[in-house]
Amino acid sequence: MAANGNCLISNDWICGEYVRTRGQELTDAVLQHIGITVASVVLGLLVALPLALLARRWRSVAGPVLGLTTVLYTVPSLAMFSLLVPVFGLSAAVVVTGLVLYSLTILVRNILAGLAAVPEEAREAARGMGYGPVRLLFGVELPLALPALMAGLRIATVSTVSLTTVGAIIGYGGLGNLIYEGMRSYFKAQVLTASVLCVVLAVGADVLLLLIQRLLTPWTRTRRSAGRRAGRPAGTEAVAA
Amino acid sequence: MDVVSRTWTWLSTGSHWTGAEGVWHRLGQHLFLTVACLLISCAVALPVAVLLGHLGRGGALAVNISNAGRAVPTFAVLVLLLLSPLGTHGSWPTVIALVLFAIPPLLTNAYVGMREVDRGVVEAARGMGMTGRQIVARVELPLAFPFIVTGIRSAAVQVVATTTLAALPGGGGLGRIITAGFRLTDTAQVVAGALLVAVLALLVEGAFVLAQRGLDPLRRRRGRPDGMEYA
């Protein structure tokens, strides 16, 4: 306890004094991190949905869309951000655009898989009740595809939180900025605190999305427990349980 | 665009390719780190995954380790290792980080591959009097092959990306061309380095896709049974 005030000088990994005196800096970094993540995931979803619908409608679109998003996913984050610098300059748009491109891979695939799993009977019933294509999509197909979509959204969000840190290379990395600065000045407490906060953000976002998913799709709960009893690999369902 | 022509000029300048800071040297470092760490990770992860998959134990571990690998930022781990006592030991922080991040895709895919093997086939093999070891070697491993290769592919792409990132805390590899470009505020060099990294990653991915197609006649299910799970 006596070392409390000295931990900044002795450069300890865990330092309450750091958290106390740099609270504002940490808050700002967390807010920037959340801002970049939310913007990227929301934009990613807005782009992925029409892409998935186009890919489903026309087989000739599906191949290039899936191929291109896979290629984008392969490009390392540092290279991705660097390639976008000439387009947007040193701005947050570089990081957000890069993260949107990454999230597309997971989101498009999961939306497609979710839509493909909608039972044909449900579609037929809706058509028989006079549903047009738009109402069929938003009233029947998307709700039934929600479990797959949300699973993809959770993976995309967790990856995005983690990849945002790389944005530090151009100064828009949220908590990554603190890690980067801490690396340069050998400031252990700053690096560890920012890293831990990053993981907390990722796990928190994942749990939040899981809760939203449970609320939105109450009908899947019985099915999921039945699936588990059958001993199938739990796949994405077991995230951060 | 001006950047395009300046990037081309950078890439076509011979002096940028030679010497200790040159592309060839950085590429050599990148490839060495990638291959070495991939081999270490395979040696660590694959036997564990195959054993767990064969016994049908530790499924939660195999899935959760993959999720944990996603949630922990690579950059943070690289910097934490650099500041740890290991940081004074040359490339070791980088090597450890690379291995740590290559293990989840290897473990998860190999485990899922082993579990996806038709139980009926395994029972039939057991009924024929095969021992556990024979079942693993002659039945489960061949059938799990596509999953295992997919895991190695994901891990390889991951390692290439992480090696790039290792340039931030001062590791070797092509990422150094990018970070040096940023320090010199030389956009052409940044873009040139990024292009080289992207091409390398795509070549690695492409090589594995071809190897997978060529080596395995049993490709089932369209799409990729990898970390990007279908729900």
Side-chain angles (χ1 to χ4, degrees):
Chain A
M1 291 300 125
N4 242 358
N6 291 333
C7 63
L8 283 175
I9 297 155
S10 57
N11 198 12
D12 293 341
W13 283 106
I14 299 166
C15 183
E17 186 69 10
Y18 165 73
V19 180
R20 222 163 44 74
T21 52
R22 306 281 192 92
Q24 190 57 46
E25 204 178 278
L26 281 166
T27 315
D28 290 346
V30 167
L31 288 179
Q32 190 188 60
H33 209 111
I34 294 176
I36 291 174
T37 304
V38 170
S40 308
V41 172
V42 169
L43 282 173
L45 203 53
L46 287 179
V47 178
L49 192 58
L51 274 181
L53 291 177
L54 284 176
R56 183 177 68 142
R57 181 77 180 73
W58 289 289
R59 288 239 137 246
S60 56
V61 179
V65 164
L66 290 178
L68 187 67
T69 51
T70 307
V71 164
L72 288 172
Y73 199 79
T74 308
V75 176
S77 48
L78 189 63
M80 179 74 96
F81 294 153
S82 304
L83 286 172
L84 290 167
V85 165
V87 184
F88 296 105
L90 296 177
S91 70
V94 168
V95 182
V96 172
T97 309
L99 294 173
V100 166
L101 293 177
Y102 281 131
S103 68
L104 286 184
T105 318
I106 299 158
L107 292 175
V108 169
R109 275 166 197 280
N110 274 270
I111 296 173
L112 274 177
L115 288 174
V118 173
E120 197 51 44
E121 294 86 352
R123 274 195 203 101
E124 286 304 318
R127 279 197 204 101
M129 286 167 70
Y131 275 46
V134 176
R135 233 179 119 201
L136 177 67
L137 177 67
F138 288 99
V140 177
E141 290 180 308
L142 279 182
L144 285 175
L146 258 183
L149 191 155
M150 290 299 288
L153 196 62
R154 284 168 59 203
I155 296 173
T157 306
V158 171
S159 312
T160 304
V161 170
S162 145
L163 281 174
T164 300
T165 53
V166 182
I169 184 84
I170 58 161
Y172 292 93
L175 290 161
N177 292 340
L178 296 182
I179 299 175
Y180 196 53
E181 280 170 27
M183 174 188 87
R184 293 184 145 179
S185 54
Y186 245 75
F187 193 171
K188 291 179 179 172
Q190 178 161 321
V191 172
L192 185 65
T193 310
S195 304
V196 169
L197 279 175
C198 224
V199 176
V200 169
L201 270 186
V203 173
D206 195 47
V207 170
L208 183 70
L209 286 172
L210 181 65
L211 290 176
I212 294 175
Q213 180 183 350
R214 293 255 163 99
L215 284 176
L216 287 177
T217 60
W219 64 86
T220 55
R221 250 172 263 169
T222 45
R223 210 190 302 155
R224 190 181 302 127
S225 56
R228 232 172 240 168
R229 221 169 295 131
R232 280 187 48 79
T236 53
E237 299 297 338
V239 181
Chain B
M1 258 172 82
D2 184 38
V3 180
V4 176
S5 61
R6 279 191 294 134
T7 304
W8 176 249
T9 312
W10 194 95
L11 282 172
S12 53
T13 305
S15 61
H16 290 148
W17 289 74
T18 51
E21 304 274 304
V23 173
W24 291 123
H25 180 64
R26 294 299 185 202
L27 179 65
Q29 287 178 323
H30 210 115
L31 287 177
F32 176 73
L33 276 172
T34 303
V35 172
C37 293
L38 196 58
L39 289 177
I40 298 175
S41 329
C42 285
V44 173
L46 291 183
V48 175
V50 167
L51 184 67
L52 289 178
H54 175 68
L55 298 174
R57 303 237 173 93
L61 172 81
V63 173
N64 284 322
I65 206 167
S66 167
N67 293 315
R70 242 194 308 271
V72 179
T74 323
F75 178 44
V77 172
L78 281 165
V79 176
L80 285 172
L81 284 168
L82 179 79
L83 299 192
S84 75
L86 274 169
T88 50
H89 293 77
S91 315
W92 280 107
T94 310
V95 170
I96 291 171
L98 289 172
V99 171
L100 281 179
F101 280 96
I103 285 177
L106 289 169
L107 198 64
T108 307
N109 281 290
Y111 178 84
V112 171
M114 292 293 284
R115 296 312 298 162
E116 289 279 295
V117 172
D118 190 341
R119 288 299 104 190
V121 177
V122 176
E123 288 309 315
R126 190 161 289 139
M128 285 167 66
M130 279 194 178
T131 62
R133 201 169 288 206
Q134 284 172 322
I135 292 175
V136 171
R138 297 193 197 161
V139 179
E140 289 178 321
L141 273 182
L143 287 171
F145 181 80
F147 285 86
I148 295 174
V149 177
T150 301
I152 300 176
R153 188 178 83 192
S154 305
V157 171
Q158 172 86 56
V159 170
V160 169
T162 312
T163 308
T164 314
L165 217 48
L168 285 173
L174 286 173
R176 282 295 278 275
I177 296 172
I178 301 176
T179 52
F182 272 113
R183 212 172 41 244
L184 303 164
T185 56
D186 181 350
T187 311
Q189 180 172 340
V190 168
V191 175
L195 275 178
L196 291 167
V197 169
V199 168
L200 177 65
L202 290 173
L203 284 178
V204 169
E205 164 100 355
F208 272 100
V209 172
L210 288 181
Q212 207 166 5
R213 281 209 190 125
L215 294 175
D216 179 43
L218 295 168
R219 249 164 75 91
R220 46 184 168 171
R221 291 210 276 171
R222 77 177 239 291
R224 15 196 297 176
D226 58 4
M228 286 173 271
E229 301 96 321
Y230 291 108

